[in-house]
Amino acid sequence: MPARARARARLAVGLLIAATCACAAGPATAAAASAGPSIRAPEAILVDAASGAVLYAKHPDRRRAMASTTKLMTALLALRSTRPDQVLAAASYSAQSAESTLGLTPGERMTVHDLMRALLLASANDAAATIARGVAGSQDAFVERMNEEARRLGLGGTSYANPVGLDDPGNYSTARDLATLARLLLRDRTFAAIVDLPRARLASGAHPRVVVNRNQLVRSHPFVDGVKTGHTRDAGYVLVGAASRAGARVLSVVMGEPNEAARNAETLELLRYGLSRFTRVHAVSAVRPLELVPVNYFSGAKIPLHAARDVTVTARRGARVQTYVRLPFPVHLTGPLPTGATVGQVMVAIDGRPTARVPLVTGESVPRASFWRRTAIEAGHTRPTLALGYIGVALLAALQLRGLVLTRLRRRARA
């Protein structure tokens, strides 16, 4: 393949065509948002679920007992080690009177799918014990895996002593670590769908059961879609919350709350504040040309290129929304190409993180150069008649060479 053709086939990053976008709200809205939430919880954090950017924090790295938010790691290992239709035999579990359980009898068989819904919605400790034994063979082996995964994920303020969340000096976490773990889990569609359920019917096991989500906010506020509650004497009331609106998602964590009412109210305050920090940005218009590209063999001709469709993204206020064009290099088009032919790509990034991609298409048809025009240009001329003369000379030379070869072959035949 000629060097020019190889170069034309390579893709390279084009020009930055739109720089930082100001994403400011009106004066009154911006002033209200800048005040921030007033949170009494000893430890709390609010993050952008997409980027991990911290929107609010209060002692986010201070360690505290985490109660049933422990089950987030139990769920993560179950998701990675089992299938939803896999059946596990219930472990023997001796629960104290205040514990939440599903009432499984030892040996009762239940699918992982149902065990996960019991674990995350009803916070059933016997479901957690069953998953632990089913995945690792014993609770101790499972706890070892939990701590290995915490180290692998960089959760430096987290330690696990059981898969349930019962108070133990070795079972603790931080608001930041819980938010990091929840961000990871919400990327899993199965997990995200479960924690957004108000209630669920479990069909496997010895008999059907209905479990209700202990996260009351999911049941009462449609924009809240997760994640996990917790409560013990040492931990107080804990809630990892999540909310989504118009393409934005935020995650909150409150720890050490005095009661459910405070836990719910402050979680809602954080989530609402977080969502208020986002706005919709019209990043790309399909009408406005993004580039004018020369056409091979047509001196001075340029074709406008457009995005195939408008692109609107949700971004935090003040974030850098940038648009990049990717085109073949060198940037020339060769016809024939119809209007709307894909010739590149437009990428939208928020604070450097790719967020959306859309085809870059021709705004007009690209003409095809005739054989004579291409030959003239390649020969370094612009007049097709001169190129024809060169071709005639080349053909005449080829015919003469052919005649010489045939004459020599006849002579050899006579000899």
Side-chain angles (χ1 to χ4, degrees), residues 201-214:
R201 184 177 184 275
L202 313 184
S204 62
H207 56 86
R209 297 173 169 92
V210 174
V211 293
V212 177
N213 195 336
R214 296 174 72 92

Side-chain angles (χ1 to χ4, degrees), residues 74-90 102 104 108-121 126-128 130-136 142 188 190-191 194 201-205 211:
T74 304
L76 178 64
L77 294 182
L79 288 167
R80 291 183 173 177
S81 305
T82 63
R83 303 182 315 277
D85 60 350
Q86 186 174 337
V87 176
L88 300 180
L102 196 59
L104 295 171
E108 184 178 349
R109 295 172 64 79
M110 181 169 280
T111 64
V112 169
H113 180 65
D114 281 350
L115 287 168
M116 287 285 286
R117 293 191 291 178
L119 175 83
L120 295 169
L121 301 182
D126 49 355
T130 298
I131 289 172
R133 193 182 73 173
V135 168
F142 189 80
D188 185 282
T190 298
F191 177 89
I194 291 174
R201 184 177 184 275
L202 313 184
S204 62
V211 293

Side-chain angles (χ1 to χ4, degrees), residues 54-76:
V54 177
L55 307 178
Y56 172 88
K58 180 180 180 182
H59 304 302
D61 299 310
R62 191 158 63 188
R63 298 175 179 180
R64 173 181 284 272
M66 57 178 149
S68 282
T69 57
T70 298
K71 295 183 175 80
L72 294 177
M73 181 61 79
T74 304
L76 178 64

Side-chain angles (χ1 to χ4, degrees), residues 239-255:
L239 177 53
V240 180
S244 301
R245 181 184 294 153
R249 170 175 267 176
V250 292
L251 268 168
S252 66
V253 180
V254 292
M255 305 182 76

Side-chain angles (χ1 to χ4, degrees), residues 70-71 73-74 77 89-95 99 119 124-148 160-168 170-171:
T70 298
K71 295 183 175 80
M73 181 61 79
T74 304
L77 294 182
S92 178
Y93 187 79
S94 300
E99 290 187 44
L119 175 83
N125 289 354
D126 49 355
T130 298
I131 289 172
R133 193 182 73 173
V135 168
S138 69
Q139 177 170 300
D140 289 344
F142 189 80
V143 169
E144 186 175 344
R145 289 196 190 183
M146 295 173 78
N147 286 306
E148 287 175 356
Y160 295 101
N162 58 72
V164 173
L166 297 178
D167 287 333
D168 186 287
N171 207 80

Side-chain angles (χ1 to χ4, degrees), residues 78 150 170 279 308 354 358 365 373 376 380 403:
T279 187
V358 64
S365 61
R373 178 180 287 273

Side-chain angles (χ1 to χ4, degrees), residues 234-305:
D234 292 350
Y237 288 83
V238 185
L239 177 53
V240 180
S244 301
R245 181 184 294 153
R249 170 175 267 176
V250 292
L251 268 168
S252 66
V253 180
V254 292
M255 305 182 76
E257 294 279 20
N259 51 57
E260 284 188 3
R263 177 180 73 183
N264 292 347
E266 296 205 326
T267 294
L268 275 177
E269 185 175 357
L270 283 170
L271 294 176
R272 284 172 171 152
Y273 170 77
L275 292 175
S276 77
R277 304 302 297 160
F278 288 81
T279 187
R280 296 287 282 171
V281 179
H282 188 59
V284 179
S285 171
V287 176
R288 184 171 65 88
L290 302 180
E291 195 71 51
L292 287 173
V293 179
V295 180
N296 279 327
Y297 308 113
F298 289 88
S299 178
K302 292 188 176 181
I303 298 296
L305 303 182

